[in-house]
Amino acid sequence: MASQLLLNETTDFLASHHRMLIGGAWVDAASGETIDVFNPATEEIIASVPAAGEVDIDKAVAVARKAFDTGPWPAMSPSRRGELLWALADLVEDHADLFNQVEVLDNGMPYNPAGAMAGPRAAKTLRYYAGWPTKISGLTVPADTPPGADHPGVTYVQREPIGVVGQIIPWNFPLGMAVMKLGPALATGCTIVLKPAELTPLSALLLGQLVEKAGFPEGVVNIVPGYGDPAGQAIAAHPDVDKVAFTGSTAVGRKIIHAASGNMKKVSLELGGKSPFIIFPDADLDKAIASAGRLAFFLQGQNCMCASRLFIHNDIYDRVVDGVAKIAAGMTIGPGLDPETNIGPLISAAQLDRVQAFVESGSREGATLVTGGNRLDRAGHFMAPAIFADARPEMKIVREEIFGPVTCAQRFAGDDLESVARQANDTIYGLIGSVWTRDLETGHKMAGKIRAGTIGINYHGPADISAPFGGFKQSGWGREFGAEGLNQYLESKTVVTRF
Ligand code: NAP
Ligand code: MG
């Protein structure tokens, strides 16, 4: 079937002169420097965007500071803040097709207008946060009466926005990341400097246009594309930024912590994963195999929740490996705009080289490559999804986050849950995990034993925007989503009154 045609509005948007949004104005980088934006399916340049430098970050932080300290935003009534978020959600939904096409061209992901990464879901996320401003409340505290007094007075705790927030996001699902970051910060009354990934800046710029249309006061949302160093680094280190929220690799997360230490800004981190997907012999195997195949290769495996370590009971090991391999081999690899595509290109030539090096190391270290792993001989950064059998815990493919369409199968024997959990927990990461069994007792006991922020029982993925999401161990600091996610953007202030 022919590839989907581009909408006029997509072509117009791509061809427009892209600038960054600082204090309600669209501007070029002070240096004039730009970044070329590539379509990973064709390797063609589709746009160019300004590359923010330190000077631009200084400007963006200054206007965000002013908008927070003296602007109308933090003092605006909660219901009005909610209305603006709702208006932004409506605009995102109205432009869903445009967003979806831009995402596919910029990131390479298969087009899926109903999918978790697409416009309607982004609108839903914003609506979730639109409901929050009117529900953020503090508490009163039953403090003791001080010695010599006849009344305890009144002690209450109020919740206030943390201030100017720097947000730095990765390229793997750019629009979803942008709204997941902006939503809670806006709901709480913070002002924002958002840096999208250098490889996928376009949907954030488009979102910036809608932020303006929705009517947010100027300086509340500033969008500054640029390189990790200097732009991201400058945000993380900036003395006038009160908090930095980062999603990306554990290695860069460590740099963010160092950079943030200067003014001791608050830090939240959503980092890498190496998620266990554990299949017991009593599981609904058809369902478990289908899910393992889908979730190992979702977004070309370029997602932090990737089912990258399969632990399979001996009795069903061959059947599961065979089933996942068949799914991998049956996938249609191609450009995201082709409706038959299940697997798009990897994000860049560098990422493809990196993943290929992992495939080579797996074979070198003695794992069995059951299917896939090869680069495709065509334009674009394509490779066939791969599964390794006979993986062992010390292998690089098992220890490190590959961030590509490669999964590794390991065996377990017997029914000692403790030893299965020990295998699953043998990682520096702790983002998510899943257990596949018909025995709920096994499921819940395993959920208690796995050290990760989200555990699925016959499910692998995040719960919903209303439940906390984040990592144990080196998968991050703090939680996003739900009330816990809002807490990341709030300070508590205790007020003590004596009569
Ligand atoms: P990355 O290299 O860590 O980059 C993430 C962001 O940080 C990008 O905007 C990047 O800018 C910026 N950056 C790079 N160096 C920086 C520095 N020194 N200071 C400040 N910012 C800097 O990650 P990625 O390769 O884009 O994304 C893949 C990683 O993200 C994986 O490890 C994945 O597991 C993780 N991830 C985690 C979650 C989660 O929720 N836990 C979700 C998705 C992805 P450039 O674009 O210029 O490099
Ligand atoms: Mg791109």
Side-chain angles (χ1 to χ4, degrees):
M1 197 192 288
S3 194
Q4 180 188 140
L5 291 178
L6 290 186
L7 301 164
N8 286 338
E9 45 176 348
T10 306
T11 332
D12 292 349
F13 172 72
L14 291 177
S16 63
H17 179 156
H18 301 283
R19 296 185 171 92
M20 51 194 162
L21 178 61
I22 297 183
W26 290 94
V27 296
D28 294 317
S31 65
E33 210 190 315
T34 57
I35 301 174
D36 286 335
V37 180
F38 289 87
N39 175 350
T42 61
E43 302 178 49
E44 286 163 354
I45 296 177
I46 53 172
S48 88
V49 300
E54 269 183 55
V55 179
D56 307 293
I57 298 301
D58 273 345
K59 277 189 207 149
V61 172
V63 297
R65 189 80 258 167
K66 185 161 170 243
F68 186 78
D69 291 341
T70 58
W73 178 243
M76 190 179 281
S77 71
S79 57
R80 181 67 193 135
R81 278 213 306 275
E83 282 164 12
L84 287 173
L85 267 161
W86 198 275
L88 179 59
D90 286 345
L91 285 165
V92 168
E93 198 163 58
D94 292 346
H95 295 80
D97 290 340
L98 169 60
F99 272 113
N100 295 342
Q101 290 197 337
V102 166
E103 275 308 70
V104 170
L105 293 173
D106 198 358
N107 164 281
M109 63 176 69
Y111 182 85
N112 176 5
M117 306 308 148
R121 195 66 76 88
K124 194 175 161 193
T125 298
L126 289 167
R127 288 198 184 105
Y128 171 79
Y129 287 109
W132 264 109
T134 50
K135 292 157 197 82
I136 297 168
S137 45
L139 76 165
T140 56
V141 180
D144 270 356
T145 305
D150 61 357
H151 194 282
V154 176
T155 299
Y156 60 91
V157 182
Q158 65 187 33
R159 310 284 281 147
E160 298 182 3
I162 211 163
V164 175
V165 176
Q167 301 185 319
I168 302 172
I169 57 176
W171 44 258
N172 62 336
F173 46 105
L175 175 64
M177 285 288 166
V179 296
M180 275 156 27
K181 287 277 182 284
L182 289 181
L186 290 171
T188 50
C190 294
T191 60
I192 297 147
V193 177
L194 172 79
K195 188 197 91 65
E198 76 189 62
L199 293 168
T200 56
L202 295 177
S203 55
L205 293 177
L206 190 53
L207 191 61
Q209 294 182 8
L210 303 186
V211 163
E212 292 240 281
K213 225 183 234 177
F216 286 85
E218 70 180 41
V220 171
V221 177
N222 304 280
I223 307 215
V224 286
Y227 295 106
D229 191 4
Q233 182 71 25
I235 292 171
H238 206 290
D240 285 332
V241 172
D242 298 299
K243 181 222 160 73
V244 60
F246 171 78
T247 298
S249 60
T250 294
V252 174
R254 203 164 275 122
K255 291 188 188 173
I256 300 278
I257 295 171
H258 287 297
S261 70
N263 69 334
M264 304 284 258
K265 61 174 65 65
K266 301 335 187 234
V267 178
S268 55
L269 304 169
E270 293 289 339
L271 307 176
K274 193 76 184 175
S275 303
F277 188 108
I278 307 167
I279 314 178
F280 285 90
D282 69 334
D284 177 340
L285 286 190
D286 289 341
K287 196 174 159 202
I289 290 167
S291 299
R294 193 159 48 80
L295 296 160
F297 308 126
F298 175 59
L299 287 176
Q300 296 73 251
Q302 299 172 136
N303 79 86
C304 52
M305 300 168 295
C306 180
S308 50
R309 289 184 303 143
L310 308 179
F311 293 96
I312 311 165
H313 192 278
N314 246 333
D315 294 354
I316 52 166
Y317 182 86
D318 290 339
R319 185 171 153 199
V320 173
V321 168
D322 198 49
V324 176
K326 280 208 177 79
I327 293 173
M331 285 183 150
T332 305
I333 308 169
L337 286 181
D338 187 328
E340 281 169 17
T341 291
N342 317 114
I343 291 259
L346 300 199
I347 188 72
S348 64
Q351 184 69 4
L352 179 56
D353 288 345
R354 206 180 142 266
V355 176
Q356 289 289 305
F358 273 107
V359 173
E360 283 153 28
S361 91
S363 298
R364 206 171 45 240
E365 291 188 288
T368 308
L369 182 59
V370 186
T371 188
N374 53 296
R375 254 177 225 265
L376 268 54
D377 184 18
R378 57 182 285 179
H381 315 302
F382 294 98
M383 68 171 276
I387 171 167
F388 277 104
D390 309 315
R392 287 192 313 274
E394 69 280 7
M395 291 176 175
K396 199 173 146 73
I397 51 168
V398 172
R399 304 224 69 78
E400 295 180 26
E401 186 181 43
I402 299 175
F403 227 59
V406 180
T407 190
C408 316
Q410 299 178 71
R411 302 168 183 269
F412 66 90
D415 54 7
D416 175 16
L417 301 188
E418 208 54 60
S419 101
V420 184
R422 215 174 301 121
Q423 277 182 276
N425 287 331
D426 181 15
T427 169
I428 60 166
Y429 296 108
L431 191 61
I432 78 163
S434 65
V435 184
W436 297 76
T437 173
R438 283 194 172 94
D439 180 351
L440 281 181
E441 184 177 334
T442 301
H444 288 289
K445 281 185 174 165
M446 285 300 297
K449 290 177 196 298
I450 298 171
R451 308 253 309 140
T454 299
I455 311 292
I457 300 175
N458 301 318
Y459 173 76
H460 186 94
D464 184 72
I465 190 86
S466 52
F469 180 82
F472 280 37
K473 300 197 265 183
Q474 294 185 38
S475 285
W477 285 1
R479 294 289 179 271
E480 293 194 306
F481 305 169
E484 277 198 51
L486 287 162
N487 285 342
Q488 306 275 359
Y489 294 96
L490 291 166
E491 292 275 25
S492 287
K493 180 183 284 173
T494 303
V495 181
V496 187
T497 318
R498 291 281 186 261
F499 298 143

